[in-house]
Amino acid sequence: MLKRQNSSTPEHRRDLAAHGGALSMSHNDSRSFFNLSQLVLSAGRIKPSPALKHSKITYVEVEIVDVQSKKQICIVDKVPPASTLLDVKHKFHKACPQWYPSRVGLQLERNGPFLKDSVSVQSLAVSSIVTLYFTDLGQQVGWTTFFLTEYTGPLLIYLLFYIRLSTIYDQVESRKNFRHPVVHLACFCHCLHYIRHLLETLFVHKFSEGHTPLKNMIKGCAFYWGFTSWIAYYINHPRYTPPSFGHKQVFYAALAFLMCEAGNHFINVALAHQTNSEGNRTCFPSPTYNPFTWLFLLVSCPNYTYEAGSWISFTVMTQTLPVGIFAFLMVIQMSLWAQKKHKLYLKRFYPEVRRKAAMIPIIF
């Protein structure tokens, strides 16, 4: 009779224990690996240790030196490299309250150009110390104040002569002599010219945050106000002589004046659309469907061309010597401004400007 094999022998139990232990160990290892992976995934990106962070901030010291005496005025310390020169000027003003930021001129070299307020200190710093030369620019005024003051004077001065004040003209002679229609038309055109300038200064032109010396505003006001007084005195005088060719000369000259004024306005609007908030030209304007902007095809500064045309037309319309002298001086001055701007345009927008004249279409 066969006997059943006893499965509970010691060797058999040892084999079962060893096999079961191995199974339990592999099961525990898989659970531990799963828990570790879940922990890593829930923690997200591994952050660097605090020792890797740059806790030290580098500053720049700006030394302000007088351009004449070469003596040190002060040192503006702890200036971040990302700061601009305008920030340096404000800190310099805190150290020296008598120097306002608007009248502080800073140069990298003694005979070099004045640096713009938007220049960063980092672009000038070769080492941790930057030396800048200081120049007192004098009392400064903003560009908006400059143009509003310069254009408001001629508008009011001309009206004072137009109403023929008793302190200027003889009242008896003023009542006897009849005013020619060109006198009223000249007043309208003159006021229209300066009202346009004032409105464009307020709503069209974009000026940078820069300033100009007060003496420049005084010179400009003396020029415009003085010539306006001379022009208005002759045109509104009781003995004023009308143009030689009568109404035809007045009509065509007035028509040319109005066309030049309209062209000047549309050119200024086109230029304003191509200018950013800092007053810098982003691209050269191109002619549009507006016929007044087609002058961009011939010249790079058509606003000066229209301005010169306005005063030449006003000279023909009134036929007076003071207006002719004023128009002649204005043409010379605007041609100089146009040549200067034309050179800047050639550097920035060479392909678009290279075949254009500066102000007069015939001269290339």
Side-chain angles (χ1 to χ4, degrees):
M1 189 174 184
L2 296 176
K3 294 184 180 179
R4 296 177 61 185
Q5 186 177 0
N6 190 6
S7 62
S8 61
T9 59
E11 292 80 2
H12 184 65
R13 286 197 296 268
R14 284 196 298 268
D15 293 339
L16 290 175
H19 182 67
L23 290 175
S24 63
M25 287 179 63
S26 61
H27 181 67
N28 291 335
D29 290 342
S30 62
R31 291 187 62 184
S32 300
F33 178 76
F34 176 77
N35 293 333
L36 179 61
S37 62
Q38 292 293 326
L39 179 63
V40 172
L41 291 175
S42 62
R45 296 181 60 185
I46 299 177
K47 296 181 180 180
S49 59
L52 296 178
K53 294 182 178 179
H54 299 283
S55 59
K56 186 178 179 181
I57 301 175
T58 305
Y59 292 102
V60 178
E61 291 184 354
V62 180
E63 180 187 18
I64 308 296
V65 179
D66 185 75
V67 70
Q68 298 294 337
S69 62
K70 299 182 183 180
K71 294 182 179 179
Q72 182 187 98
I73 300 176
C74 73
I75 294 180
V76 182
D77 56 353
K78 293 184 178 182
V79 178
S83 301
T84 61
L85 284 186
L86 183 61
D87 301 327
V88 175
K89 289 182 179 181
H90 282 290
K91 291 187 177 183
F92 177 59
H93 172 59
K94 290 182 180 180
C96 303
Q98 69 272 22
W99 308 118
Y100 293 94
S102 60
R103 65 185 299 170
V104 174
L106 297 178
Q107 301 164 275
L108 194 59
E109 300 176 355
R110 290 190 63 194
N111 298 325
F114 290 108
L115 300 172
K116 295 183 178 180
D117 292 343
S118 58
V119 175
S120 63
V121 177
Q122 190 174 8
S123 63
L124 305 175
V126 181
S127 61
S128 60
I129 299 178
V130 180
T131 302
L132 297 177
Y133 293 93
F134 161 76
T135 302
D136 181 18
L137 300 177
Q139 187 65 36
Q140 303 287 302
V141 293
W143 285 109
T144 303
T145 304
F146 176 87
F147 288 113
L148 289 179
T149 306
E150 193 175 65
Y151 296 144
T152 303
L155 179 64
L156 300 178
I157 290 173
Y158 196 96
L159 292 176
L160 291 177
F161 283 91
Y162 176 74
I163 61 177
R164 291 183 176 178
L165 295 176
S166 58
T167 55
I168 302 175
Y169 302 111
D170 181 59
Q171 290 298 105
V172 178
E173 192 175 14
S174 300
R175 294 191 189 98
K176 289 182 179 180
N177 294 338
F178 172 76
R179 288 196 187 191
H180 194 273
V182 70
V183 176
H184 305 290
L185 183 61
C187 180
F188 170 78
C189 292
H190 191 275
C191 293
L192 177 66
H193 178 78
Y194 285 102
I195 289 174
R196 179 185 61 81
H197 274 303
L198 291 172
L199 293 178
E200 289 177 352
T201 302
L202 293 174
F203 304 109
V204 176
H205 295 302
K206 296 178 182 179
F207 302 105
S208 61
E209 296 299 327
H211 298 76
T212 186
L214 179 63
K215 60 181 180 181
N216 289 347
M217 189 180 74
I218 296 176
K219 291 180 182 178
C221 291
F223 177 78
Y224 279 97
W225 295 15
F227 263 102
T228 300
S229 301
W230 191 23
I231 292 170
Y233 176 81
Y234 273 87
I235 295 177
N236 296 285
H237 199 279
R239 297 183 182 180
Y240 167 73
T241 304
S244 303
F245 296 96
H247 294 290
K248 287 186 178 181
Q249 179 178 345
V250 174
F251 174 78
Y252 289 112
L255 182 62
F257 177 87
L258 295 177
M259 292 180 63
C260 290
E261 287 294 303
N264 202 340
H265 171 70
F266 289 119
I267 292 297
N268 289 332
V269 171
L271 292 174
H273 288 166
Q274 305 296 330
T275 307
N276 56 20
S277 58
E278 296 179 357
N280 297 324
R281 193 86 63 237
T282 57
C283 61
F284 190 79
S286 57
T288 62
Y289 62 90
N290 190 340
F292 291 103
T293 62
W294 294 350
L295 199 56
F296 275 120
L297 297 172
L298 301 176
V299 297
S300 60
C301 302
N303 52 330
Y304 294 141
T305 307
Y306 282 122
E307 184 79 10
S310 295
W311 285 112
I312 293 174
S313 303
F314 194 78
T315 303
V316 176
M317 182 179 64
T318 57
Q319 195 175 315
T320 53
L321 180 63
V323 182
I325 296 175
F326 180 74
F328 176 74
L329 295 177
M330 288 294 293
V331 170
I332 293 177
Q333 181 62 69
M334 285 183 289
S335 64
L336 296 176
W337 290 341
Q339 289 290 339
K340 185 178 180 180
K341 283 191 174 183
H342 186 70
K343 292 180 180 179
L344 295 177
Y345 289 157
L346 285 175
K347 294 180 181 179
R348 298 188 59 188
F349 316 110
Y350 176 74
E352 297 90 344
V353 187
R354 64 188 181 93
R355 292 186 177 274
K356 295 179 174 58
M359 190 181 81
I360 304 175
I362 302 175
I363 302 176
F364 288 90

